[in-house]
Amino acid sequence: MALKQISSNKCFGGLQKVFEHDSVELNCKMKFAIYLPPKAETGKCPALYWLSGLTCTEQNFISKSGYHQAASEHGLVVIAPDTSPRGCNIKGEDESWDFGTGAGFYVDATEHPWKTNYRMYSYVTEELPQLINANFPVDPQRMSIFGHSMGGHGALICALKNPGKYKSVSAFAPICNPVLCPWGKKAFSGYLGTDQSKWKAYDATHLVKSFPGSQLDILIDQGKDDQFLSDGQLLPDNFIAACAEKKTPVVFRLQEGYDHSYYFIATFITDHIRHHAKYLNA
Amino acid sequence: MTSAPRGAARGTSQRDLEEDADELVHLYGLEDDDELGDEFADETMPRIEVSEYPAAEQRDWRLSGEAAEAEDLGFGGWGSEGQCQDLREAYRYAHGRASEEYECYVIPEEEDEEEAPDVFCATCKLPLRALEKVLEEHKGHEVTPLSKALESAKDEIHKNMCRLEKQIIEMENFACHLEEVFITVEENFGRQEQNFESHYNEILETLAQKYEEKILALGEKKKEKLEALYGQLVSCGENLDTCKELMETVEEICHEEKVDFIKDAVAMADRLRKFLETKTDVELAAQPALEDQTLDFSDVEQLLGSINTIPAPSAPVINPQAPSSATGSSVRVCWSLFSDDTVESYQLSYRPVRDGSPGTDHTESTVTVKETYCSVANLEPNTQYEFRVTAQNRAGLSPASERAVYMTAPSPPVIKSKEVRSCEEAALIRWESGNLNPVDSYTVELTQAEAPGAAGVTESVVGVPTCEALVQLQPRQSYAIYVRALNVGGPSARSEPATVHTTGSYFRLDEQTCHPWLAISEDGLTAVRSERKAPTREPPPRSTRFSRCVAVMGNLIPVRGRHYWEVEVDERSDYTVGVASEDVPKQEDLGANRLSWCMRHTWAAPRHKYEFLHNKTTPDIRITVPPKKIGILLDYENSTLSFFNVDISQHLYTFSCQLPQFVHPCLSLEKPGRLKIHNGIPVPKHVALY
C-alpha cells in the first residue's frame, strides 16, 4: 500500500521520518514514525518497535525520548506507531483520555462499536511489520519490541503471545497486570466485554504463566516516584512474582526519584536500546 | 679543431689515426671550410673513439690506403667543392656504418649488417651466420645463438675477474702477515741477542775476576817465599858475621900471651862450642817452585752451560674477567705472557674471597694447565674467587701474577608460579632470588609458545632491580616466561618457566587477606566457609585479614584495562562478590564503604534478595532468575563495574565507579557455602557492550 512521507529530519547521521498510510486493520489513515540509522544506507538493519502510552501519538517518543543517538550507534531501525486509530468518528472515543482515542491498549476489540477499528494488536504484530519489511531496509528475522506504560503493557503481551517472534522485550513503567488495575478493567470491559477469560489473553502477568519458553530477557525500569505506581495501576510485583515462578529472566529496576514522564524515559532509554542491540546484533 | 683531448688508454694506433686525420685535414686545407671541417670532424671523431678492437687496426690501414689514394688525386691544394665532396664520400664509404658510439664489451658490427653472424659455433669457436652452419665445415657442430654465446663469454670473464679480486685480497693479507712476522723475528732476535750478551758478559767478568784472584794469590805466595828466603839470607849473613867475628877473635887470641890466651881460649872454646852446637839451618825456608793451584772454574762452567739453557719465565699477566664468561659453577680464567719465554705449563691457584678476616683457613686449590686459559669448575654460584697464576719451565717457576678476582654467575631464580597474575595485555611475575647473597639485577625473558620446536623470538627485559616485573604482552597468546639473575660474572641459567595465557585475566585469592573462617583451595580459586563456626586454630588478627566480614581478596594484576572473571555461586547461599581496593577497611563489611563495590545475594526462602552495595547504598533491583554463575567486568577506562548472569547472558547491574587506585576482586560468604572463581575467560560479546 502507498506510503506518504509526512516529514523527514536528519538526526545523528540518520533520518527520522514520519509516514502516513491507509491501514487495513484499523480502517483509517494511520501515521507512524520511523528512524533509519546511517547503517541502513548500506544494508538491512534490525527493527525495534516502540509502543507509546496513553494519550500519545507517534510524535511524543521521537521528540522527547532522545533515543536517536543510541539507535544510530547500534544501527537499529526504530518504528513508533500511533497509540490508536484516529478520526473514526466512533461515539465516545474522545470522552476519556484513558479509553478510546489515544488508548488503544494494543488489543483486538471484540465489542461493538470498537471492533471495526480498534484492532491495535493485529496492527502492531501483523500489518505494520509487513508494511515496514516491504518498504524499508529491515531484516525481517530480527525484531524486538518495547514501550512505556500502556505501550509497556503492549510490548509485554506482544512478546509473550508470540514466542520467538521478538528477540527481546523491555518496558518503562508498564501496566503489568491490567485485569487487576482500574485502567485495565475500564479498557478491557469496553473493548473485550465482560468475559474476563478474554481479558487474560491480553494480560502480561497471566500470559507469562503459560509462556512456553524462558528465552526472553526482560528489562523493566520503574520510577519510584511514579504516581501511577502508587495508584496501583501498574502492579509490577505481580508480574515479577509470576516471572520468578516461571523462571522467566527479568531485571526490574526501581529508580529512585523518577516519575512517569518522558524525562524518566530519556534517562534510561540508552540502557534499553543497548539491551535490545545485544540480541538484535548478536 | 678535431683533436680534442682524448682518454689516455687509447694506444698508439689511436695516435696514428689522429695524426693521420690531422695531416689529411691540413693537407687538404679543410680548416678553411668550417662547415665541411665540422662534418668531416663528425665523421672522423666517432671513429677515432673506437679503441679496443682490431677493427680499428683495419681502419688504420684503410685510412692510410685511402689517404694514399687521396694524395694521388692531386697535390695542388684543395679548393673545389666537388673534390671535397668526393673525398668525403670516399671516407664515408671506406668506414662503413661506423658513426655509432661503441661501448667497451660490445662487439662492433661487421660491414654488412644483413649478413652479420648471429650464431656461435662452440666447436670451432667462431661466430657464424646461421646459413653458414649448414655448410660442410660446421655440420654436426654445436651451435648456439650468438647472444647466448656472448652472455656466457661475459659470465666467464666476470667470474674470472671475481677470482682475481679475491686473490688480490688474499695476497694483500698475506703480505701484511709477512710484515708482522718480520717484525716478530726482529724482536726475537733482539731478545736472544740481549740474553746472550748478558750471559757472555757475566762469564767474562767471572773469568777476569778469577784471573785477578789467581795473580794475587800467586803474588802473595811469592812474597811469602821471598820473605822466608830473605829471612834465611839474613840469618845466614848473621851467621857468617858471627863466624867471621869468631875467627877474627880466635886469630886475635892466638896472637895473645899465653896467660890471656888460655883464658880467652877457654871462653872462646865455649863460645865456639855453643855456636857450633846451634844448628845451622841450611834447609831452604821456601821452595823455589810455586805450587800448581787447581783453579776452580766450576762456576764459569756453570755459566757457560747456562748460556744454552733458557731462563725461568717472567710473571704472566692475568686478565680481568670477561663479561658473561662465567656460569653458576665455573669461571673461565685467562692470562697472557708478555714475553717470549718458553713455558711448559701454568699453575693456577684460587680460593674463595671471604669478607672480613683474611683468614688462614682458606683452602687454596691449584690446577696445572698447558694453555693460557682454564675453565675452573665445581665452584659455588654467585661467589668471588681470587686467582693467580705462575708460569713454569725447566728453569723453574716464574713469580706469581697479580691476583685477579673472578665471580661465578648466580644460581637461577625460582619463579613463584602461584603468584603469577595476568590480563590480556600484561603479566606480573614474582620470584625468589635463588641466591643467598645479592645479585646485580634480573633479566626477564619471554617467548611466545606458539609453534613447538619453532625458534621463537625471545624478548628480554633487562635491568630489573627487584624480584618482580610487570611485562607487556600481546592478547590471546601463550607465553613461557623465564628469569635470570645477573652479576659481574654473567647471567645465571634460565629459571623454570612460568606459563602465561593472555586470554582474559588470571588471579588467585590471597591467603594473607583471608578471614579465619574461610578456607582457600590449593589452586587459589575456591573459597569455602564450612559449617563449623570456630576454627581449630585462631591466628592472631592482622591488618591484612578481614576480621568482621568472612571475606577474601584476590590479587588482580595492576593494569588499567578491562578484566573479566566469573564466580560460581550457590543459589541458596548468602554471598557477596565484587571488587575492593587494597586498603579497604578489613574490619568492615564489603560494600559498606567507599572502597568496595559488590553484589550481595541473600536467600530468605522463597525470596532471593539482591543488592548492589557501595558506601552502604544499593539501588532497588529485583531479579527473577537467580544466577548460578556471575560474570564480573571491571573496566578501568570507562570506570564501570558490571555484573551478569552468565548462563542466560543477562546484564544485571553496572556501577559507575571512580577508580583512581587499583582494585581487586573480593568475595565473602555470609553463610556456609562455596564460591569458585573462573579465570582466563575472554570478555564475552554480550558483556563487551557494557
Side-chain angles (χ1 to χ4, degrees):
Chain A
M1 56 203 72
L3 284 177
K4 181 168 130 190
Q5 183 170 297
I6 305 294
S7 68
S8 175
N9 301 85
K10 188 159 185 181
C11 188
F12 282 100
L15 291 164
Q16 177 65 68
K17 292 177 183 276
V18 176
F19 287 89
E20 189 181 64
H21 72 110
D22 284 309
S23 165
V24 169
E25 291 284 350
L26 307 175
N27 270 305
C28 65
K29 282 200 189 314
M30 282 294 281
K31 290 206 192 107
F32 65 87
I34 181 165
Y35 176 75
L36 298 162
K39 225 167 116 190
E41 283 171 41
T42 50
K44 294 198 178 207
C45 297
L48 178 59
Y49 288 84
W50 166 268
L51 302 181
S52 294
L54 290 166
T55 77
C56 290
T57 65
E58 80 288 349
Q59 287 294 319
N60 308 67
F61 180 65
I62 65 176
S63 347
K64 294 192 187 180
S65 66
Y67 77 94
H68 301 90
Q69 184 168 13
S72 173
E73 274 172 18
H74 289 287
L76 304 179
V77 171
V78 182
I79 303 112
D82 203 341
T83 49
S84 75
R86 302 233 172 221
C88 303
N89 285 317
I90 300 170
K91 190 163 184 280
E93 68 178 356
D94 292 322
E95 266 171 26
S96 355
W97 62 275
D98 56 2
F99 183 80
T101 305
F105 272 86
Y106 304 102
V107 299
D108 284 343
T110 52
E111 296 295 294
H112 183 76
W114 312 103
K115 61 183 184 183
T116 321
N117 302 93
Y118 278 72
R119 294 180 58 75
M120 285 302 289
Y121 177 75
S122 294
Y123 177 70
V124 166
T125 54
E126 302 292 331
E127 183 177 359
L128 188 60
Q130 279 166 17
L131 182 71
I132 300 295
N133 292 345
N135 290 283
F136 297 96
V138 299
D139 181 350
Q141 302 303 317
R142 293 187 288 165
M143 206 155 66
S144 287
I145 192 161
F146 66 149
H148 166 242
S149 188
M150 176 184 75
H153 142 83
L156 288 173
I157 63 169
C158 288
L160 292 168
K161 283 162 81 72
N162 296 281
K165 187 179 175 93
Y166 299 96
K167 294 266 181 277
S168 51
V169 60
S170 72
F172 290 85
I175 303 169
C176 299
N177 202 187
V179 303
L180 292 182
C181 75
W183 278 336
K185 287 176 185 162
K186 178 175 175 180
F188 286 177
S189 53
Y191 296 131
L192 304 172
T194 48
D195 182 1
Q196 295 216 357
S197 62
K198 287 209 265 179
W199 295 7
K200 287 179 187 170
Y202 294 102
D203 183 305
T205 305
H206 282 273
L207 285 167
V208 83
K209 287 177 185 162
S210 48
F211 183 64
S214 59
Q215 294 304 309
L216 275 183
D217 181 359
I218 305 173
L219 173 64
I220 299 176
D221 270 312
Q222 174 64 59
K224 194 162 175 196
D225 286 1
D226 187 336
Q227 67 184 95
F228 301 113
L229 178 67
S230 34
D231 288 350
Q233 295 279 19
L234 305 177
L235 305 172
D237 293 341
N238 299 352
F239 181 67
I240 290 164
C243 288
E245 176 101 19
K246 291 300 283 186
K247 303 254 179 277
T248 302
V250 171
V251 172
F252 173 85
R253 316 192 297 189
L254 194 66
Q255 304 288 7
E256 184 87 33
Y258 288 93
D259 57 21
H260 201 73
S261 69
Y262 265 89
Y263 295 106
F264 161 62
I265 295 171
T267 307
F268 300 102
I269 192 75
T270 307
D271 284 352
H272 284 247
I273 302 243
R274 181 170 52 191
H275 171 81
H276 292 291
K278 185 165 85 175
Y279 295 96
L280 290 173
N281 285 331
Chain B
M1 201 209 45
T2 55
S3 45
R6 306 280 155 82
R10 294 278 171 174
T12 45
S13 62
Q14 207 55 27
R15 295 274 142 65
D16 292 344
L17 262 178
E18 282 177 36
E19 282 170 57
D20 284 344
D22 283 350
E23 247 182 277
L24 284 168
V25 160
H26 285 303
L27 203 53
Y28 296 102
L30 284 176
E31 61 258 54
D32 298 337
D33 192 332
D34 275 14
E35 187 193 327
L36 192 59
D38 286 345
E39 280 190 62
F40 188 75
D42 287 335
E43 302 269 292
T44 26
M45 271 175 74
R47 279 175 236 134
I48 287 170
E49 275 178 14
V50 169
S51 55
E52 272 90 286
Y53 281 86
E57 312 284 358
Q58 292 171 25
R59 286 191 175 77
D60 196 6
W61 68 255
R62 251 190 233 150
L63 186 59
S64 343
E66 288 302 313
E69 280 177 49
E71 276 176 67
D72 289 345
L73 282 177
F75 266 99
W78 180 255
S80 83
E81 285 258 330
Q83 282 180 313
C84 188
Q85 197 85 352
D86 290 339
L87 244 189
R88 230 187 316 138
E89 272 163 14
Y91 274 92
R92 199 181 290 141
Y93 173 75
H95 298 281
R97 291 178 184 75
S99 56
E100 302 130 342
E101 281 190 356
Y102 291 123
E103 261 189 302
C104 193
Y105 288 164
V106 173
I107 299 167
E109 292 176 1
E110 295 290 328
E111 292 290 310
D112 305 307
E113 275 184 357
E114 293 85 21
E115 299 188 8
D118 50 353
V119 294
F120 184 75
C121 176
T123 320
C124 307
K125 303 236 186 293
L126 280 180
L128 311 169
R129 282 175 290 131
L131 304 167
E132 287 186 56
K133 198 233 176 229
V134 296
L135 297 176
E136 268 299 318
E137 295 178 53
H138 301 284
K139 232 186 221 164
H141 291 174
E142 197 186 315
V143 165
T144 56
L146 196 64
S147 51
K148 256 179 99 180
L150 287 177
E151 284 294 322
S152 52
K154 263 197 255 178
D155 276 335
E156 185 92 23
I157 287 175
H158 198 67
K159 250 191 276 184
N160 286 333
M161 280 211 29
C162 286
R163 281 165 62 187
L164 273 175
E165 280 172 12
K166 262 199 221 153
Q167 189 143 344
I168 288 173
I169 292 172
E170 267 178 41
M171 292 319 288
E172 280 176 358
N173 283 344
F174 187 60
C176 270
H177 186 62
L178 279 175
E179 279 178 30
E180 279 174 29
V181 174
F182 255 91
I183 292 170
T184 312
V185 168
E186 284 283 348
E187 280 177 5
N188 285 348
F189 165 76
R191 251 198 286 273
Q192 290 278 22
E193 185 191 43
Q194 225 175 17
N195 196 26
F196 180 73
E197 196 179 306
S198 70
H199 262 111
Y200 186 73
N201 283 338
E202 213 178 323
I203 292 174
L204 285 179
E205 272 171 27
T206 314
L207 278 174
Q209 202 180 21
K210 287 227 180 292
Y211 172 78
E212 292 284 340
E213 279 175 15
K214 176 75 168 176
I215 296 298
L216 208 65
L218 276 176
E220 289 285 331
K221 271 276 182 250
K222 174 187 98 176
K223 196 164 145 200
E224 247 178 62
K225 283 196 197 278
L226 286 179
E227 275 178 7
L229 287 173
Y230 184 72
Q232 249 185 4
L233 194 68
V234 161
S235 64
C236 264
E238 283 177 2
N239 206 310
L240 264 174
D241 284 343
T242 314
C243 280
K244 280 197 184 141
E245 193 211 315
L246 282 173
M247 285 281 293
E248 280 176 15
T249 314
V250 166
E251 277 186 23
E252 279 176 23
I253 293 177
C254 284
H255 293 307
E256 284 183 356
E257 302 285 327
K258 290 178 204 144
V259 174
D260 293 323
F261 173 75
I262 289 291
K263 270 202 258 173
D264 291 330
V266 173
M268 181 56 39
D270 274 340
R271 263 183 81 195
L272 277 171
R273 205 188 339 119
K274 276 202 183 118
F275 180 70
L276 286 170
E277 272 173 5
T278 59
K279 261 212 116 195
T280 50
D281 187 6
V282 285
E283 291 293 324
L284 282 176
Q287 290 300 319
L290 289 166
E291 301 112 15
D292 268 331
Q293 305 202 332
T294 48
L295 288 174
D296 182 10
F297 279 113
S298 61
D299 47 354
V300 177
E301 276 169 14
Q302 195 184 38
L303 280 175
L304 281 171
S306 78
I307 275 187
N308 295 327
T309 63
I310 41 183
S314 40
V317 174
I318 196 163
N319 294 355
Q321 185 172 19
S324 300
S325 60
T327 70
S329 59
S330 72
V331 293
R332 189 184 153 96
V333 188
C334 300
W335 56 86
S336 34
L337 209 52
F338 276 92
S339 64
D340 217 22
D341 300 337
T342 313
V343 171
E344 279 177 15
S345 64
Y346 295 94
Q347 281 187 4
L348 182 67
S349 323
Y350 60 95
R351 61 168 181 228
V353 171
R354 304 247 182 250
D355 299 325
S357 61
T360 50
D361 68 331
H362 297 278
T363 45
E364 190 168 62
S365 322
T366 306
V367 192
T368 305
V369 295
K370 284 204 179 293
E371 304 86 5
T372 56
Y373 57 87
C374 180
S375 276
V376 181
N378 293 323
L379 300 175
E380 291 294 308
N382 201 30
T383 311
Q384 288 181 319
Y385 288 86
E386 207 174 62
F387 286 89
R388 58 195 173 86
V389 64
T390 53
Q392 184 174 39
N393 64 14
R394 272 201 313 258
L397 276 176
S398 75
S401 66
E402 292 291 317
R403 283 164 197 273
V405 174
Y406 277 56
M407 191 161 188
T408 45
S411 299
V414 178
I415 294 181
K416 296 182 187 169
S417 38
K418 292 214 168 160
E419 293 187 27
V420 171
R421 318 179 209 169
S422 66
C423 67
E424 302 234 320
E425 307 140 9
L428 182 69
I429 315 281
R430 288 209 171 122
W431 56 86
E432 312 223 338
S433 166
N435 293 279
L436 286 171
N437 293 325
V439 296
D440 290 348
S441 70
Y442 298 94
T443 303
V444 179
E445 293 178 2
L446 14 135
T447 44
Q448 286 191 7
E450 276 281 283
V457 174
T458 301
E459 223 183 287
S460 297
V461 179
V462 297
V464 178
T466 56
C467 291
E468 173 177 305
L470 183 71
V471 285
Q472 303 293 324
L473 300 172
Q474 295 294 311
R476 290 177 296 282
Q477 304 285 341
S478 285
Y479 289 86
I481 301 188
Y482 305 85
V483 184
R484 293 187 204 257
L486 199 74
N487 65 12
V488 289
S492 70
R494 269 179 168 181
S495 65
E496 287 300 310
T499 311
V500 171
H501 304 285
T502 52
T503 315
S505 299
Y506 280 90
F507 64 89
R508 278 192 167 81
L509 295 172
D510 188 355
E511 285 251 351
Q512 310 277 325
T513 62
C514 184
H515 185 279
W517 293 352
L518 271 188
I520 308 296
S521 65
E522 178 67 25
D523 60 5
L525 297 176
T526 306
V528 177
R529 176 175 172 166
S530 57
E531 297 286 339
R532 310 183 270 122
K533 274 280 168 107
T536 45
R537 50 140 187 83
E538 186 82 44
R542 268 200 286 177
S543 58
T544 58
R545 278 191 196 277
F546 285 96
S547 53
R548 189 187 136 110
C549 178
V550 183
V552 64
M553 267 173 51
N555 280 319
L556 188 63
I557 189 173
V559 168
R560 300 190 79 85
R562 299 215 306 181
H563 301 278
Y564 177 76
W565 64 95
E566 293 174 0
V567 186
E568 213 179 289
V569 300
D570 209 336
E571 280 181 47
R572 299 285 165 107
S573 67
D574 290 358
Y575 59 81
T576 307
V577 292
V579 300
S581 78
E582 201 154 341
D583 47 356
V584 68
K586 302 289 190 310
Q587 70 281 10
E588 291 179 9
D589 282 342
L590 290 177
N593 48 52
R594 271 191 238 268
L595 294 172
S596 52
W597 296 258
C598 54
M599 169 179 162
R600 170 170 298 166
H601 168 253
T602 319
W603 161 249
R607 276 195 43 176
H608 294 267
K609 178 168 138 197
Y610 293 94
E611 295 171 287
F612 292 87
L613 291 159
H614 172 68
N615 202 20
K616 291 201 181 77
T617 56
T618 174
D620 194 328
I621 306 246
R622 315 255 199 99
I623 294 170
T624 56
V625 175
K628 293 198 189 78
K629 212 188 243 184
I630 299 172
I632 301 175
L633 177 71
L634 169 65
D635 189 339
Y636 281 100
E637 276 144 44
N638 292 328
S639 298
T640 56
L641 177 71
S642 305
F643 295 85
F644 300 86
N645 179 332
V646 173
D647 297 326
I648 56 177
S649 307
Q650 183 185 45
H651 169 250
L652 300 174
Y653 184 71
T654 299
F655 282 102
S656 282
C657 38
Q658 288 303 305
L659 298 167
Q661 74 282 37
F662 288 110
V663 291
H664 299 278
C666 59
L667 43 85
S668 71
L669 282 157
E670 280 67 62
K671 294 237 177 69
R674 197 183 95 108
L675 293 171
K676 184 172 151 118
I677 291 175
H678 292 266
N679 262 340
I681 305 166
V683 177
K685 198 165 164 215
H686 70 93
V687 167
L689 278 177
Y690 294 86

